[in-house]
Amino acid sequence: MKINIKNKKEIKKMRKVGKLAAEILDMIEKYVKPGITTEELDNICKNYIKYTQKAKSACLGYHGFPKSICTSINDTVCHGIPNKTTLKSGDIINIDVSIIKNKYHSDTSKMFFVGKIKKKNEYLCKIAKKSLYNALKIIKPNIYIEDIGYNIQKYVESKKFTIVREYCGHGIGRKFHEQPQVLHYKTTNNQIKLKPGMIFTIEPMINMGTEKTKIMQDGWTVKTKDSNLSAQYEHTILVTNFGCEILTLNKSDNIKSKLINI
C-alpha cells in the first residue's frame, strides 16, 4: 500500500484548495432555506467554484456523477444528486463539496438545518459532528489509523446511534481518492501508523436506526435501509509533527484554531 507523504510545496497547495472547499460551505449556508431546490443549490455552488474561485468541482463528471456537489437530505446517507426536490422546513441536509485547484483536491461536508427541525434530529447531527472532532483530537504521529475508527465507533454507539460501514474516509491529494482508507469503526487489520505529511479525510456517516444502506436506481444515491435519518460531517486533515491541521475548517466549526493537539 503506497501512501503519499506530502512535501512542503504540496502541503501549501492543499491548504489553498482546502480553504476554497470550506468557503463554499460558508457561502451556501444563507441559501439553504425552505422552498429552494437542491438543483438551485448546485447551480449556485457551480458558478461560485467556476467564476469566483477559478477552480473545478471534483464531483462533476467523476465516474459519471452529473452535478457539482452532493446533496443528501434526511434519510439519504451520501452521494445525493441535486435535482428538482424542494427543501422544506424540518429537513436536514448534508452538502458535500470537492474541489480541484492547481491539480490538487480537497473534500469536505457538513449538515444544514432547513427552518425549524426536531430536537432529536438536531441531536443526531450534534453527535455526528462530535464524533469527527473526537477523532481529530487523538490524531498524532505513530498512532494506528485503526484507532480513528475505534474512537468514532465507541463514542457513536455510546449515544445509541449506528455507523455506516460501506463508505470511508480516504487519502487525498493529486488524486481525489488515494491511500489510505480511513474506516469509521473498529477493525484489527489496519496497522498503518500515521506519519507527518499524511493528508486524508475523516467523514463518519451516522444513522438514527440501522447502519444498513441501499443504493437507489440512479446508481449514486445511498439511503438508509429503514428510512431513518442519517448525518455526516467531513474534513480533510493534515497529520503534523504533534497533532493535525484541519485544512477545510469553516466558520460553523466554531473553533479558534485549525491546529489540533499542537
Side-chain angles (χ1 to χ4, degrees):
M1 182 186 294
K2 178 175 172 54
I3 298 174
N4 293 321
I5 304 297
K6 274 63 174 182
N7 59 38
K8 289 182 179 180
K9 185 177 179 179
E10 291 175 307
I11 290 170
K12 185 176 181 180
K13 290 182 178 181
M14 291 296 292
R15 285 191 177 111
K16 288 182 177 179
V17 72
K19 184 178 180 182
L20 293 180
E23 284 176 357
I24 296 166
L25 294 182
D26 290 333
M27 177 277 299
I28 200 63
E29 185 158 17
K30 65 183 178 182
Y31 298 100
V32 183
K33 294 180 179 180
I36 197 168
T37 67
T38 54
E39 189 169 62
E40 288 173 312
L41 293 175
D42 179 75
N43 284 331
I44 293 167
C45 290
K46 177 178 68 175
N47 289 330
Y48 188 82
I49 294 165
K50 183 176 181 179
Y51 297 111
T52 301
Q53 297 186 329
K54 310 298 182 185
K56 294 181 180 180
S57 165
C59 294
L60 184 61
Y62 184 75
H63 293 301
F65 191 80
K67 297 292 184 177
S68 295
I69 61 173
C70 298
T71 51
S72 302
I73 307 170
N74 295 333
D75 65 334
T76 299
V77 176
C78 61
H79 304 159
I81 301 174
N83 54 29
K84 302 293 185 182
T85 300
T86 300
L87 298 184
K88 61 185 185 299
S89 184
D91 285 341
I92 60 173
I93 177 173
N94 177 275
I95 296 180
D96 192 335
V97 298
S98 304
I99 301 300
I100 309 170
K101 181 78 171 183
N102 297 324
K103 299 182 180 180
Y104 283 82
H105 296 71
S106 191
D107 194 5
T108 186
S109 80
K110 60 168 281 190
M111 300 301 298
F112 295 84
F113 303 158
V114 184
K116 186 176 182 180
I117 70 167
K118 294 179 179 178
K119 290 290 185 182
K120 65 177 183 178
N121 300 346
E122 183 177 359
Y123 183 64
L124 170 69
C125 295
K126 178 181 177 181
I127 297 306
K129 186 174 185 179
K130 192 168 182 181
S131 74
L132 170 57
Y133 267 89
N134 284 351
L136 295 180
K137 290 175 182 177
I138 71 165
I139 291 177
K140 60 183 178 181
N142 295 319
I143 74 161
Y144 291 108
I145 201 165
E146 67 183 26
D147 294 337
I148 297 171
Y150 176 69
N151 181 277
I152 292 170
Q153 181 179 14
K154 184 177 179 180
Y155 175 73
V156 168
E157 292 183 350
S158 76
K159 302 301 180 182
K160 309 303 181 185
F161 293 123
T162 61
I163 302 163
V164 172
R165 304 297 180 98
E166 293 91 343
Y167 306 93
C168 62
H170 53 89
I172 188 168
R174 287 184 69 91
K175 294 181 180 180
F176 192 174
H177 294 90
E178 300 179 350
Q179 293 294 341
Q181 291 189 334
V182 183
L183 303 182
H184 304 119
Y185 54 92
K186 183 179 179 180
T187 180
T188 57
N189 60 355
N190 201 347
Q191 292 286 310
I192 298 167
K193 284 187 177 182
L194 299 189
K195 296 180 180 179
M198 282 185 177
I199 296 180
F200 52 81
T201 71
I202 305 177
E203 44 187 297
M205 303 168 196
I206 309 306
N207 292 353
M208 192 172 283
T210 180
E211 75 276 6
K212 297 185 183 301
T213 64
K214 57 186 177 182
I215 300 178
M216 308 309 287
Q217 288 186 344
D218 60 27
W220 282 102
T221 305
V222 179
K223 289 183 174 285
T224 59
K225 203 159 189 178
D226 60 4
S227 298
N228 267 307
L229 299 190
S230 185
Q232 178 194 23
Y233 288 81
E234 173 186 10
H235 275 310
T236 297
I237 67 102
L238 162 70
V239 180
T240 67
N241 289 326
F242 303 100
C244 73
E245 177 181 342
I246 305 172
L247 302 181
T248 50
L249 189 71
N250 61 69
K251 292 178 181 177
S252 70
D253 284 304
N254 293 323
I255 62 173
K256 294 181 180 180
S257 175
K258 61 186 177 182
L259 301 174
I260 309 296
N261 298 337
I262 303 300

